[in-house]
Every structure is written in structure tokens, then in C-alpha cells.
Amino acid sequence: MAVSLHADVYIPGQSVVHRWAARPKLLSLLTLMFAIAMVRHLVLLPWVFVVVIGLYLAAQLPLSYLCRRLPYPGLFIVAMVGLLPWVSGETVIWQGWIFSLRLEGIQMAALVAGRFVAILTTGFVLLGTTPFLTLLEAMRSLGIPTLLTDMTLLTYRYLFDVANQLATMHQAMALRGYGHSRQTLRRRWNWLAALFGSLLLRSYEQSQRVYSAMRLRGYGQQPPRSLNQKPGGAIALPTILTLTAAVSVVICELSLASL
């Protein structure tokens, strides 16, 4: 299961976004994300979604790719903005018992959720159309220290391995009777504390073994080699369009702010 999740992040394709060179793609999409994060007026959200939806369609990624990934971070943003309509603002549009639904809170919740979905979708376009090693190579070529990119690669690689270990340990606990009978809250927390403590120790020991193996193979004793990356790729047109959209969002936001 972990292997399939690992391989499913990048979806091969022949779209213009897939052929877009990694370095300008990374810079352009990050610029677009920062521009979306600057939006403070709800009236700009439709234009933001037009840009993001157009980018997603240009990437030719299946809709299921986005639908499978949005719910998990979506639960987090729902928990964050769920209280805003009830506690933020002064214009009450509905009131019942001790609850008051406020117009300003609804607008703020829609703005935060809209920006979150737009930024997340842009990130999925980047990850779905760029191999992970190519993305790391682009980050390294932009001046990010090699140590950080190596740590990112190792974290991404062994995150799925740790998830497999967690599933194996949880199954072992179930075979030993965990969850089969009614347990007190204290005993349940003791089980979970032992589980995550053991997982932490195993992860630490594995990291030591991996680092020792890397050192024996010469890691840190010679200049880092470039990761595999396909040369060339489209640069001008998608970069210009994306940066133009990002600049237009920023200009509109500054214009509305000055009114």
C-alpha cells in the first residue's frame, strides 16, 4: 500500500505543464501561491479559481487525483474556520438560543477556505506533474543547501516505511487483545504511549543505520552528484502566463486595498 501511495503522487503525462521545465515551474507556481495568499477581498476569489482551474485543466490531471487528496487537509481547514461564522463579525443574520450567525464571519471563512483550496490545488499540480527527484534537483539548483534537499528526500522515502511499521505494530497489538475488550481511558493511553514510544525508538535506530550506511558509501566526502533530471522543456509560455496571472491578482488586491 505504501509503495502504491509513493508512486501515485506523480502522474506521467504529455501536457504542457508536464513539459514545463522544473525550475521555472517551481518558481512560477510558488509565486502564484504567494499571490493567492495575499488575497484579502472575497471578490477576487472567482478570478483566483479561474486561474487555478485553468492550470489544473492544462495539467490534464484526473479529477479523482484531486478528490482523493483534498478531504484530508480539508478536515483541518474546516476545523480552523468552522467557528468563524459564529464568533467573528457584528452583523447578525440568524440567531437561535445562544448561537448567532454573523455575515462577516461567513465572508472570512469563505475567504480563508477559498485561498486554502486554491493554494492546495496549485501544490497538487506541481507535485502531480513533476517527479519528486526532479523537484529536488530544481530546489538544489536554486541555491537550497544540499543537506536540506537530502533530508527532504530521506524523509519522503522513509515516511512510508514508518507508516508500514505503525500498521504492523498496530496489528500486533490487536492480536494481543488491544481493542477486543472494554478498557479504561488510562489503560488505552498507556497502550498508545507504548506504541508511539516504540515507533520513535525504531525510527531513531533506523536513521542511525541509514546514516552509517551512507557514510560508508562516501556521503559527505565528495561533491554531491546531480539527481536524474530530463533536460529541456517548455519555459516561456507557461511561465509568462502564470506570472501574469499572479501579478494581476496582486495588482487587483492592492487596488482594492487602496479604495
Side-chain angles (χ1 to χ4, degrees):
M1 180 178 179
V3 175
S4 62
L5 288 175
H6 182 280
D8 197 34
V9 176
Y10 167 69
I11 298 182
Q14 296 298 324
S15 69
V16 64
V17 184
H18 283 84
R19 298 194 303 270
W20 194 357
R23 189 189 305 181
K25 182 198 298 189
L26 177 61
L27 290 175
S28 301
L29 294 184
L30 286 180
T31 302
L32 180 60
M33 291 181 192
F34 279 111
I36 295 173
M38 291 180 60
V39 172
R40 295 292 184 273
H41 294 83
L42 196 61
V43 69
L44 289 180
L45 273 187
W47 167 240
V48 167
F49 277 110
V50 167
V51 172
V52 173
I53 292 174
L55 182 65
Y56 195 86
L57 293 177
Q60 298 180 3
L61 295 174
L63 184 61
S64 58
Y65 178 86
L66 185 62
C67 293
R68 287 200 307 268
R69 288 162 176 79
L70 271 182
Y72 300 105
L75 294 176
F76 172 77
I77 196 62
V78 166
M80 293 292 292
V81 305
L83 292 178
L84 286 178
W86 308 98
V87 300
S88 177
E90 298 179 356
T91 306
V92 178
I93 60 176
W94 180 84
Q95 187 171 6
W97 194 37
I98 61 174
F99 301 102
S100 299
L101 190 62
R102 295 173 169 85
L103 178 61
E104 294 84 357
I106 294 176
Q107 293 174 343
M108 181 60 66
L111 180 62
V112 173
R115 289 184 308 187
F116 180 84
V117 172
I119 292 174
L120 206 61
T121 303
T122 306
F124 286 146
V125 169
L126 177 62
L127 295 176
T129 60
T130 313
F132 191 70
L133 292 180
T134 304
L135 191 60
L136 289 180
E137 175 66 18
M139 294 168 59
R140 183 182 295 178
S141 66
L142 291 173
I144 296 179
T146 304
L147 179 61
L148 291 181
T149 57
D150 290 345
M151 290 177 61
T152 303
L153 178 60
L154 289 173
T155 301
Y156 180 77
R157 163 61 181 85
Y158 286 100
L159 185 64
F160 301 95
D161 189 56
V162 171
N164 279 336
Q165 290 187 22
L166 179 61
T168 302
M169 294 170 65
H170 188 270
Q171 184 178 9
M173 290 173 58
L175 292 175
R176 288 169 174 80
Y178 176 76
H180 292 173
S181 60
R182 189 179 183 87
Q183 297 175 343
T184 63
L185 182 61
R186 180 178 179 181
R187 181 171 176 79
R188 186 178 304 170
W189 278 107
N190 287 338
W191 277 86
L192 292 177
L195 172 64
F196 286 103
S198 178
L199 182 64
L200 182 62
L201 291 176
R202 289 190 180 189
S203 302
Y204 176 76
E205 292 173 354
Q206 184 176 13
S207 67
Q208 292 292 327
R209 293 194 299 268
V210 170
Y211 181 72
S212 299
M214 292 171 60
R215 293 289 293 178
L216 289 174
R217 288 165 174 79
Y219 178 77
Q221 301 175 15
Q222 56 187 357
R225 295 178 299 175
S226 297
L227 299 173
N228 295 328
Q229 180 179 0
K230 294 181 180 180
I235 297 178
L237 181 60
T239 303
I240 292 173
L241 292 177
T242 305
L243 292 180
T244 301
V247 171
S248 65
V249 170
V250 174
I251 292 176
C252 292
E253 173 59 31
L254 295 177
S255 301
L256 291 174
S258 62
L259 295 179

